[in-house]
Amino acid sequence: MNRPYGAVDVSANLKGAVPKTATQKILVALAEKGKTTFFVANQSKIETLPAEEIAVLEAEYKKIDEGNKQLAAQVKITGAELAKLKNTPSDADLDIQISETRDAIEKRLALLQPLRSGAQLVSAENLAQVDADWAKWRAEWIRRKKIFMSFWQLVTDTLSPQDAERLSEDLGIEFDTAEHVSVENGPLCANQNSLKRKR
């Protein structure tokens, strides 16, 4: 090859027999003492390219490089489109989704049909029974809650709040949450005695 060699090249050609650092020092020492002979190809006999051909090659290189950049951009766009297509449901998947949607629509329409025809879904007797059950079981809940609170107050009267809380956790007792309190203070419970439904 028509190129200069450095210490790394020489060390490599010697198969590592002489380390790179030592090779560098040896070459420098030989050059300083004038005891080294370098053989290079006769540069005057080497054919060189005219400036015009070099310009043509450079222009061709730029053209090819620009073409590669355009191809790379096209590959990127095509890859994005391919990923989009892979995420798009197939015809078979769309047929299944359409069939499921139609079935769901039919079921909803069947549920709406009685309302459209003016049919009464809940009778007055059923509404009255719901009101009666609500009043009965809420009164029972209030009674049981009072009994529990009296008993709990008696048990925890001598305990600190922290000990009382630990005891409730050990026993698995769940007190009313903020949602329970909100319902209890709301119109549903406050007006239960006067709550009436139109017949």
Side-chain angles (χ1 to χ4, degrees), residues 55-86:
V56 171
L57 291 175
E58 288 179 347
E60 184 177 354
Y61 165 77
K62 291 180 180 179
K63 182 179 179 181
I64 294 174
D65 184 58
E66 184 64 28
N68 288 338
K69 291 180 180 179
Q70 293 178 0
L71 288 175
Q74 187 63 36
V75 168
K76 185 176 181 180
I77 295 173
T78 305
E81 293 178 352
L82 178 60
K84 184 178 180 181
L85 289 175
K86 287 183 177 180

Side-chain angles (χ1 to χ4, degrees), residues 185-196:
N185 294 332
L188 180 62
C189 297
N191 301 326
Q192 71 164 7
N193 294 328
S194 61
L195 186 61
K196 295 181 180 179

Side-chain angles (χ1 to χ4, degrees), residues 84-187:
K84 184 178 180 181
L85 289 175
K86 287 183 177 180
N87 293 328
T88 302
S90 63
D91 291 346
D93 293 334
L94 288 175
D95 289 340
I96 293 174
Q97 293 178 12
I98 291 173
S99 178
E100 292 176 348
T101 303
R102 286 176 177 171
D103 291 341
I105 292 173
E106 290 179 0
K107 290 179 181 179
R108 300 300 186 277
L109 291 175
L111 294 174
L112 290 174
Q113 187 58 37
L115 293 175
R116 290 178 174 177
S117 61
Q120 186 176 3
L121 299 181
V122 182
S123 65
E125 291 77 11
N126 288 338
L127 291 175
Q129 184 62 46
V130 170
D131 287 340
D133 291 342
W134 159 253
K136 172 185 175 181
W137 293 113
R138 182 170 184 274
E140 179 66 15
W141 174 77
I142 292 175
R143 185 183 71 82
R144 293 187 182 189
K145 183 178 180 180
K146 287 181 179 179
I147 294 174
F148 165 77
M149 293 305 296
S150 298
F151 177 74
W152 183 252
Q153 183 65 33
L154 180 64
V155 171
T156 60
D157 188 44
T158 58
L159 299 178
S160 66
Q162 294 80 6
D163 291 338
E165 183 177 356
R166 280 195 292 269
L167 178 61
S168 67
E169 291 178 354
D170 293 339
L171 296 176
I173 298 173
E174 296 182 1
F175 293 95
D176 291 346
T177 63
E179 290 80 5
H180 296 137
V181 176
S182 177
V183 172
E184 189 66 20
N185 294 332

